[in-house]
Amino acid sequence: MSYESYELLTPDNLSDYLKSQPHLHGSVDPLRLSVREVGDGNLNLVFICESPGMPGLCIKQSLPYVRMVGPEWPLSPERACAEARSYQVASEAAPTLVPRYFGFDARRYALALENLSGWTVLRSLLNSGVPAPGAESDAGAYSARMVFATSFMGLPSEALRRQVCSSANAELCAITEQLVLTEPFVDHPRNSFFPGLARAVEDLRRDRHYIANVQRLKHRFLTASEALVHGDLHTGSIMVRQSGDRQVGGGQGGAGTAGDRSGGGGEGDGGGPSRRDARVSPTQLPDGEGSLWAAKVFDPEFCFYGPAALDVGMLMGNLALAAGRAAVCDLGTQRSGDMLAWLLVAVERVWVSFEAELRALWPARTDTSFGDDFLEAWLLRASEDACGYAGCEIVRRIVGLAKVSDLETLDEGARVRAQSALLSAARRTTPSRLAEGGVTDEPAGVVRAFAELLRSELRQVG
Ligand code: SR1
Ligand code: MG
């Protein structure tokens, strides 16, 4: 590995470290500091630093190895440079949808970020049986804004080529290539699952049509440098907080430009001729009473120039995993049903928001020789990619190394029931199988077909 050795931060040395970072003293006072290490992810150290009467800070430092495995799996801390790049772009392109970014210390591989102590990790909230309407739309809008700002849509071609060259994140991409797009589909020592799932896993691996689509998606992961994507957008990479109330039928749920929570329907502005609002209108999706939630996306250390729909797809897959949990969890019949219903709607809304935000931004594209018909074709393929990546994410979180608490905290019987249903749904995420279940000549129809097949698989496992 080619990085210089560096001192790891600890609760004991953070005060001295922060003294050496005067630009952070508006957020914390190094002399009156309390520090908590809160990193519960797979890779890094994360410290919440607070001083009385001040906003506080989050300091995130990359470890030189994979935390979930230990020093025997070395990993260059330079992924923190990639994460800094993503925050830099997001601070301009989607400032309300990410934590505030205070800068990067390249000597210590440490990022300084907004303290989100009042916020909750979306996965934890969902595991406790609480829906977060609004958060899924924010996440879809985040992805769209990043795609627009970093792709051919928002960048002149020379700048785009330079960005592609300077944004490689090879070591982390290799992890995703292995853990998400390769190992779960073959016999590999890092995989594990209950014996009750062996038949379903075997069937999936022998399904040549499905595996060919996984390989198409892996090939796109390797070669399609469309946009600077987050690369690991799951429900553990999103913080949420209640942001207000909404009214029944208020139409706040889906396609509003993120941050604009005031206008009925919130369709954003800049509508050009290619916007087909009727086809993606949030009023197609059930809306309800209750709280609205705001989201902030964090942890973009896996970012790279890749397929534009990777992020929405991964998130849709993780919402599907949460739906698997809701289908077998007993929260009381009414609450379980509501939770499952919301999660299935949320899968669609991630896409609806992504699509609507891109359509709203499209009139401002840099190269208007790309016309509206091109956008339609691009969105259609993106929706197929999104469903495909959702399927891969489902499979890898069930079969592969990095599991999710949504399912791991269930007892064996419930877990196998939910996982079997989810694997069946994943196998149907190829474009032609989705076409059997719905109207798939339009992007929102492709994603609706995915949500419908999840609904029908999960209906049977409760
Ligand atoms: C070895 S890292 C395992 C997983 O953790 C990260 O959050 C990514 O999802 C990766 O696949
Ligand atoms: Mg992570």
Side-chain angles (χ1 to χ4, degrees):
M1 252 173 280
S2 62
Y3 65 90
E4 307 241 328
S5 68
Y6 59 103
E7 192 183 359
L8 293 183
L9 297 170
T10 68
D12 291 334
N13 66 19
L14 257 162
S15 173
D16 283 343
Y17 174 68
L18 289 171
K19 279 182 204 159
S20 73
Q21 306 290 311
H23 68 290
L24 301 178
H25 294 174
S27 300
V28 283
D29 176 352
L31 300 175
R32 297 178 303 139
L33 196 66
S34 68
V35 180
R36 285 175 290 137
E37 206 280 302
V38 296
D40 62 353
N42 295 331
L43 299 178
N44 305 295
L45 296 171
V46 182
F47 300 94
I48 300 298
C49 306
E50 291 176 310
S51 303
M54 299 182 81
L57 268 184
C58 169
I59 302 287
K60 174 176 176 179
Q61 186 181 40
S62 290
L63 286 166
Y65 54 85
V66 174
R67 184 176 185 169
M68 73 181 287
V69 174
E72 63 270 28
W73 185 344
L75 190 65
S76 157
E78 278 164 21
R79 62 188 183 278
C81 309
E83 181 157 359
R85 261 196 304 276
S86 175
Y87 277 127
Q88 191 77 53
V89 175
S91 300
E92 291 274 317
T96 61
L97 300 172
V98 292
R100 264 188 79 192
Y101 169 60
F102 295 104
F104 176 52
D105 176 352
R107 279 193 320 118
R108 299 281 198 123
Y109 301 102
L111 295 134
L113 298 159
E114 181 180 358
N115 172 21
L116 294 179
S117 284
W119 297 61
T120 307
V121 176
L122 178 57
R123 194 186 300 285
S124 310
L125 188 83
L126 300 182
N127 281 350
S128 68
V130 177
E136 76 293 346
S137 300
D138 276 0
Y142 158 84
S143 177
R145 287 185 177 200
M146 292 297 281
V147 165
F148 187 88
T150 63
S151 72
F152 78 98
M153 298 186 190
L155 287 176
S157 69
E158 278 183 39
L160 173 60
R161 286 180 193 283
R162 273 193 285 275
Q163 288 303 317
V164 171
C165 286
S166 59
S167 304
N169 193 2
E171 231 183 330
L172 270 71
C173 284
I175 290 180
T176 304
E177 215 176 292
Q178 280 303 118
L179 296 191
V180 183
L181 298 165
T182 307
E183 292 173 11
F185 305 99
V186 296
D187 195 14
H188 191 281
R190 280 199 284 244
N191 294 332
S192 63
F193 45 85
F194 282 127
L197 223 57
R199 180 70 194 273
V201 172
E202 197 50 42
D203 287 350
L204 179 135
R205 288 178 182 163
R206 284 171 196 246
D207 183 339
R208 288 175 57 188
H209 175 78
Y210 177 66
I211 295 299
N213 195 50
V214 170
Q215 289 169 6
R216 178 186 78 79
L217 295 161
K218 180 175 172 180
H219 179 253
R220 279 186 59 64
F221 182 88
L222 280 162
T223 59
S225 300
E226 289 186 310
L228 186 69
V229 293
H230 180 286
D232 194 25
L233 186 51
H234 53 77
T235 52
S237 305
I238 298 176
M239 302 291 271
V240 296
R241 187 176 72 176
Q242 278 183 295
S243 64
D245 293 326
R246 64 178 175 180
Q247 287 155 15
V248 177
Q252 282 268 18
T257 297
D260 172 12
R261 297 193 172 285
S262 56
E267 287 286 329
D269 52 16
S274 70
R275 294 179 71 207
R276 300 185 301 178
D277 295 345
R279 304 177 86 178
V280 296
S281 163
T283 56
Q284 290 175 357
L285 302 176
D287 219 334
E289 229 171 333
S291 308
L292 261 184
W293 293 71
K296 285 185 189 282
V297 172
F298 68 104
D299 208 11
E301 67 196 315
F302 280 77
C303 72
F304 73 111
Y305 261 84
L310 177 73
D311 289 346
V312 282
M314 282 190 159
L315 183 55
M316 284 158 48
N318 278 269
L319 291 168
L321 293 161
R325 175 188 179 84
V328 296
C329 255
D330 188 11
L331 299 166
T333 320
Q334 170 77 31
R335 252 187 85 205
S336 297
D338 289 352
M339 187 67 191
L340 179 57
W342 177 74
L343 282 163
L344 294 170
V345 166
V347 166
E348 271 190 80
R349 278 199 174 136
V350 170
W351 173 266
V352 167
S353 171
F354 175 79
E355 180 182 337
E357 192 81 8
L358 277 180
R359 286 185 187 281
L361 292 166
W362 182 246
R365 65 195 176 281
T366 50
D367 181 351
T368 49
S369 74
F370 287 106
D372 296 337
D373 290 341
F374 177 80
L375 176 64
E376 297 311 323
W378 187 92
L379 283 168
L380 188 60
R381 185 172 69 174
S383 68
E384 291 171 350
D385 284 359
C387 294
Y389 286 120
C392 294
E393 182 69 6
I394 290 171
V395 175
R396 76 96 165 210
R397 295 298 192 180
I398 292 173
V399 175
L401 173 73
K403 305 278 199 277
V404 285
S405 55
D406 317 43
L407 300 175
E408 293 301 293
T409 51
L410 299 171
D411 66 46
E412 180 170 345
R415 200 188 311 178
V416 169
R417 286 205 312 283
Q419 290 177 329
S420 301
L422 288 164
L423 288 182
S424 292
R427 271 179 73 182
R428 292 167 65 189
T429 54
T430 71
S432 63
R433 287 180 182 166
L434 290 166
E436 289 162 16
V439 181
T440 53
D441 65 343
E442 61 179 82
V446 173
V447 177
R448 173 151 306 156
F450 172 58
E452 283 304 328
L453 72 88
L454 273 173
R455 186 172 287 119
S456 87
E457 291 291 345
L458 293 174
R459 190 182 291 136
Q460 298 161 36
V461 300

